[in-house]
Amino acid sequence: FVISESKTPLWTESAAQEQFLLAGKIHNLRLAIKGLDGLEIPAGEIFSFWKHVGQASRLKGFVTGRELREGCIIPNIGGGLCQLSNALYDAALQANFEIVERHAHTQIIPGSLAEQGRDATVFWNYIDLRFRAPSAFRIEAFLGRDHLTVRFKSDIEKKSLIQINGLKSQTTELKSPQS
């Protein structure tokens, strides 16, 4: 069963000077996804972005991409990986997973998940995205022509996951006073 999905646009800037950094970001996303697509996380285990993606370096094939640091867009090796961490966080929220560690960006990029409070910045070795699910799930991550898609699948339906997680909503019927 698909329990959540996050889909975000790859090409977010039309300025000519940004195209090189966006192409680098897409290359970096493609490399990072290789460590995540098809990954199965056992029930109760904490997923860590950096544990599965590893340090972005030139030796591993990462290139200069677009990075947001202290409110500024800068070129950096491995730049653009936050789009993947944002999508993972968004999918984890949709699936009602327990968020263990998450850090919001300091700057909001128009059109990004940060505008909705559904972003998760990562910085190697000390700022991570970590979450836990009550049952086993599988990550599917892929790049289409124009979008990054992150999907979580489980053998248990989403409504069952919510009940296991103790987040089942309860409603109370209010009755009006009788005259």
Side-chain angles (χ1 to χ4, degrees):
F1 298 102
V2 174
I3 56 173
S4 64
E5 181 176 286
S6 182
K7 189 173 183 178
T8 56
L10 292 172
W11 302 97
T12 54
E13 286 288 331
S14 57
Q17 65 271 23
E18 289 284 321
Q19 295 304 306
F20 173 74
L21 294 176
L22 287 173
K25 172 191 82 166
I26 291 168
H27 173 83
N28 293 335
L29 288 170
R30 190 171 285 115
L31 285 179
I33 283 171
K34 287 181 183 179
L36 297 177
D37 186 42
L39 183 66
E40 297 198 11
I41 308 294
E45 182 177 304
I46 294 176
F47 167 86
S48 163
F49 182 85
W50 289 124
K51 176 182 175 186
H52 295 288
V53 172
Q55 183 178 12
S57 68
R58 281 196 174 118
L59 288 174
K60 292 182 180 177
F62 288 91
V63 298
T64 300
R66 174 185 165 158
E67 180 178 301
L68 181 62
R69 189 183 302 171
E70 296 180 16
C72 300
I73 301 287
I74 63 165
N76 197 29
I77 299 299
L81 293 182
C82 282
Q83 184 169 354
L84 180 55
S85 62
N86 289 349
L88 287 161
Y89 176 65
D90 182 45
L93 288 177
Q94 290 177 42
N96 296 309
F97 290 175
E98 174 192 355
I99 306 303
V100 176
E101 180 182 356
R102 174 261 181 172
H103 305 272
H105 286 84
T106 56
Q107 177 85 15
I108 295 175
I109 301 290
S112 72
L113 287 169
E115 278 188 324
Q116 304 161 35
R118 298 180 87 82
D119 64 313
T121 189
V122 289
F123 197 82
W124 170 251
N125 209 24
Y126 69 96
I127 297 178
D128 199 1
L129 169 65
R130 299 183 311 138
F131 53 83
R132 175 180 17 236
S135 64
F137 71 100
R138 184 176 63 253
I139 298 173
E140 291 181 354
F142 55 92
L143 295 178
R145 185 171 161 260
D146 297 318
H147 290 87
L148 162 67
T149 303
V150 171
R151 184 179 297 139
F152 292 166
K153 287 188 166 183
S154 177
D155 292 336
I156 300 173
E157 290 183 79
K158 184 177 178 180
K159 65 181 178 184
S160 298
L161 280 174
I162 294 170
Q163 291 171 354
I164 292 169
N165 221 1
L167 299 174
K168 183 178 178 184
S169 63
Q170 296 179 352
T171 56
T172 305
E173 185 178 347
L174 297 175
K175 296 182 180 179
S176 60
Q178 294 180 354
S179 311

